Amino acid sequence: MKTICLYFEIHQIIHLKRYRFFDIGTDHYYYDDYENERSISDIAERSYMPALNTLQQMIQENGKYFKVAFSLSGTGIEQLEMHAPQVLEKLQQLNETGCVEFLAEPYSHGLSSLANPEAFARDMKKQVAKMEEYFGKKPTVARNSSLIYSDDIGAQIAALGFKGMLTEGAKHVLGWKSPHYVYNCNMAPSLKLLLRDVELSDDISLRFNNAEWEGYPLFADAYIDRIARLPEEEQIINIFMELSALGIAQPLSSNILDFIKALPVCAKEKGITFSTPTEICMRVKSVGALDVPDTLSWVDEERDVSCWLGNPMQREAFNKLYSVADRLLIANDPRINQDWDYLQASNNFRFMTTKPSNVGLDRGIYSGPFDAFTNYMNILGDFINRVNALYPEEIDNEQLNSLLTTIKNQGDEIVMKDIEIERLKTKLAKLQPAEEKKEKKPARKAAAPRKKAAKKAE
């Protein structure tokens, strides 16, 4: 039986303010608060809330039949907490239905997986904790920023304990293979891979309202019929997109939400079900390993990372940012840590791209890629000065690694001592009743002679 895995990403760009060279050392706040509030409020009103209300209604009307998955970046959650808490409240309501799964992704929505394994692991663990805080369950399936994936990244995700991962069903990787199967990581066979169907996903997220597209207008019954006509053995149809596709990329006036709402009705008629990523990973066996030696993503025609690291400016900014990654591992300054999360966000590097794209790129305050590069490097210069003030450059990497090892060992010792303390507490709790019994017995024996002595006196 065919099943649809429907997944939406929720992430919000953190807009940087205009920051000039002469601000370095005097201004340590890098963000455009007005634009951040305006943009998240706008997207919540025009996209997130209408879309989530529709999905909630679909669950109410279809019961346990309809299911959907989400992932939220940690930085996106922070913006929603400040400016659109109603979105998080709605997601919690959806979570209570039991028909929604929440996935793990890098907290920063950054590119740490391409630079520093320790920073990447920390990024993932931080977001997992945030998701568990909000939705009461630890995610078991992961996705990387923009579905970035390679064999090595898959191995890192598996080492973190995840059972599955979402990525792109790119043609240059699949070749003759179909994205409608479950695969596994080449370097970690236990990690199952769910591959996005590029055409079916982009028909909704990119082309739905394009009157010049040959498939326009797209109706739900015709869309589901295409899925039903796929070869019988192709059972897994993964439709992944940003939630903002519903309302922003495809305006509400295009009737995009009516289309989405009709999908379960049409699918049920064709005997097609809906499943969450974890359900698929638990139920469906892998047909084989997927070899991805080079990094892929869901962005642009190339489906690679060239939109973030394709020119010398991007690579210089990227390398300079992650040059302090090891020092940040021991940071205990909340402000430094928050800036680190925000400066890692992939859009900072995307704004510097010089390559053409079939998807429009809004650079915000920047007039072009060099302007974006200059502004970011000014901010990065101030940020690195602050990091070096905490951890001077005189501390070389070997010394820093030694310090990190010491801190880790001390942390491990504390954990072991905590375990030992709990063990001793449990043992003590068991011994206390036995000791109390021993203390009571002599008291009862001592009472008998006194009683006899009293009778003798009589």
Side-chain angles (χ1 to χ4, degrees):
M1 181 181 291
K2 287 181 170 55
T3 191
I4 295 171
C5 180
L6 185 62
Y7 156 81
F8 295 101
E9 174 204 21
I10 298 177
H11 168 63
Q12 178 62 24
I13 290 174
I14 306 296
H15 296 273
L16 302 178
K17 69 180 182 182
R18 180 64 67 181
Y19 193 92
R20 305 188 186 282
F21 177 80
F22 298 104
D23 294 324
I24 297 174
T26 61
D27 183 2
H28 304 318
Y29 192 77
Y30 312 133
Y31 314 108
D32 186 338
D33 289 335
Y34 171 80
E35 183 58 25
N36 284 324
E37 182 176 0
R38 187 207 63 79
S39 60
I40 191 67
S41 299
D42 179 65
I43 198 171
E45 181 181 350
R46 293 169 52 203
S47 172
Y48 291 169
M49 288 307 294
L52 293 174
N53 283 329
T54 298
L55 293 168
Q56 184 180 41
Q57 188 176 353
M58 291 163 69
I59 291 172
Q60 291 169 347
E61 293 176 354
N62 294 280
K64 298 295 183 181
Y65 169 75
F66 177 71
K67 296 172 184 178
V68 64
F70 298 93
S71 74
L72 295 80
S73 68
T75 54
I77 291 176
E78 289 184 17
Q79 291 298 296
L80 291 170
E81 286 173 335
M82 287 189 288
H83 306 303
Q86 70 272 21
V87 175
L88 293 171
E89 291 170 6
K90 181 60 66 175
L91 286 167
Q92 288 174 324
Q93 291 174 18
L94 286 167
N95 181 51
E96 291 170 1
T97 66
C99 297
V100 175
E101 179 178 358
F102 291 92
L103 311 185
E105 69 165 72
Y107 190 95
S108 66
H109 200 269
L111 306 173
S112 56
S113 61
L114 305 176
N116 189 297
E118 289 78 14
F120 179 54
R122 184 186 183 191
D123 219 5
M124 293 296 298
K125 290 175 183 177
K126 186 175 180 180
Q127 195 265 359
V128 165
K130 194 75 170 177
M131 299 301 280
E132 196 169 8
E133 173 192 336
Y134 265 99
F135 306 112
K137 191 175 180 181
K138 190 175 181 179
T140 58
V141 175
R143 56 145 272 156
N144 200 358
S145 310
S146 301
L147 298 191
I148 291 172
Y149 179 81
S150 68
D151 293 334
D152 181 64
I153 293 170
Q156 292 179 58
I157 288 292
L160 291 172
F162 294 102
K163 305 303 180 186
M165 187 173 184
L166 275 54
T167 189
E168 181 77 343
K171 290 181 181 178
H172 71 275
V173 170
L174 283 170
W176 56 269
K177 297 177 183 177
S178 166
H180 304 139
Y181 295 93
V182 174
Y183 296 90
N184 63 266
C185 173
N186 186 34
M187 294 174 62
S190 64
L191 184 76
K192 292 184 177 178
L193 301 176
L194 304 184
L195 308 185
R196 174 178 179 262
D197 185 304
V198 177
E199 185 176 350
L200 287 171
S201 300
D202 288 352
D203 282 353
I204 298 174
S205 62
L206 297 182
R207 295 183 279 269
F208 183 81
N209 195 43
N210 183 1
E212 296 179 0
W213 172 44
E214 61 181 12
Y216 180 86
L218 181 63
F219 295 105
D221 56 351
Y223 185 83
I224 292 295
D225 191 52
R226 282 167 56 194
I227 294 174
R229 291 200 309 269
L230 291 170
E232 185 178 352
E233 62 274 14
E234 298 186 14
Q235 298 288 314
I236 311 299
I237 295 85
N238 300 309
I239 301 171
F240 306 157
M241 67 193 77
E242 296 176 359
L243 186 61
S244 60
L246 311 182
I248 302 297
Q250 308 305 320
L252 297 180
S253 59
S254 68
N255 295 320
I256 183 67
L257 294 183
D258 292 331
F259 170 84
I260 293 293
K261 190 176 178 181
L263 290 178
V265 178
C266 298
K268 191 178 290 187
E269 292 175 355
K270 296 289 184 178
I272 299 171
T273 64
F274 287 81
S275 300
T276 64
T278 292
E279 287 177 338
I280 293 173
C281 289
M282 296 293 289
R283 187 175 68 237
V284 182
K285 292 183 179 179
S286 166
V287 297
L290 191 70
D291 297 325
V292 190
D294 300 316
T295 311
L296 63 86
S297 77
W298 71 355
V299 177
D300 293 343
E301 290 295 324
E302 295 84 357
R303 310 291 176 185
D304 59 13
V305 296
S306 59
C307 68
W308 301 288
L309 301 174
N311 65 46
M313 290 186 298
Q314 292 170 309
R315 291 190 291 273
E316 181 181 347
F318 178 80
N319 291 333
K320 187 170 184 180
L321 174 67
Y322 284 100
S323 69
V324 296
D326 289 338
R327 282 170 161 72
L328 264 295
L329 290 176
I330 57 174
N332 196 29
D333 185 306
R335 180 74 179 277
I336 287 282
N337 287 334
Q338 185 179 62
D339 290 339
W340 170 247
D341 289 334
Y342 291 175
L343 293 177
Q344 283 188 88
S346 61
N347 58 277
N348 292 315
F349 303 96
R350 184 77 187 275
F351 292 151
M352 303 175 200
T353 187
T354 53
K355 62 177 287 192
S357 174
N358 60 348
V359 180
L361 175 61
D362 181 4
R363 298 183 200 264
I365 63 172
Y366 306 125
S367 60
F370 184 73
D371 186 28
F373 170 74
T374 302
N375 199 69
Y376 184 79
M377 292 302 280
N378 286 340
I379 290 173
L380 194 55
D382 182 78
F383 176 73
I384 290 177
N385 286 344
R386 290 164 59 207
V387 172
N388 288 336
L390 289 174
Y391 314 109
E393 289 181 288
E394 289 75 22
I395 303 176
D396 60 28
N397 286 336
E398 187 174 340
Q399 290 175 300
L400 187 62
N401 286 333
S402 176
L403 181 58
L404 289 172
T405 301
T406 301
I407 292 171
K408 182 181 183 301
N409 290 340
Q410 288 175 343
D412 292 342
E413 286 178 15
I414 291 170
V415 170
M416 293 304 296
K417 285 178 180 177
D418 287 342
I419 293 172
E420 181 64 14
I421 288 169
E422 289 301 318
R423 188 185 70 80
L424 291 172
K425 281 182 179 178
T426 304
K427 187 176 180 180
L428 184 61
K430 290 178 180 178
L431 290 173
Q432 279 178 341
E435 290 296 326
E436 288 173 2
K437 287 179 182 178
K438 286 180 181 178
E439 289 174 3
K440 288 177 182 178
K441 282 180 181 178
R444 286 197 295 270
K445 285 179 181 177
R450 284 199 299 269
K451 196 172 181 182
K452 287 180 181 177
K455 284 182 180 180
K456 213 171 196 182
E458 289 174 4

